[in-house]
Amino acid sequence: MFNFFKVVILGFVLAVPSVGWTGTVEEKPSALAMTGDALFVRPAMIVTTVLGSVVFLVSSPFSALGGNIGESFDQLVGKPFNTTFVRCLGCT
């Protein structure tokens, strides 16, 4: 049942724009960095987020038994999601 709620919450997070999640970034990326990020890094991270979600769903019963489902979610879904949708274009 706990896994079901995680999947529902993940669905809401992916569906709702993440307006207030980031603070002001002082980094000034170049046009080349922004272009490379938009063309190569973001699509790869979208795929990584989707694959991480699938791996999380498959491994969640084992993570729940091991007591580390939160860590598993953060590593497989949370970090790729933040890299894809939250950080500024071209920022590291």
Side-chain angles (χ1 to χ4, degrees), residues 30-84:
S30 67
L32 182 61
M34 288 182 174
T35 303
D37 192 13
L39 293 178
F40 301 109
V41 177
R42 298 294 170 122
M45 292 310 294
I46 289 172
V47 171
T48 303
T49 302
V50 171
L51 291 176
S53 300
V54 170
V55 171
F56 172 75
L57 289 175
V58 170
S59 67
S60 60
F62 306 107
S63 297
L65 289 173
N68 62 344
I69 197 159
E71 295 170 14
S72 174
F73 181 81
D74 288 341
Q75 290 295 322
L76 295 173
V77 181
K79 287 185 179 181
F81 179 83
N82 287 337
T83 302
T84 305

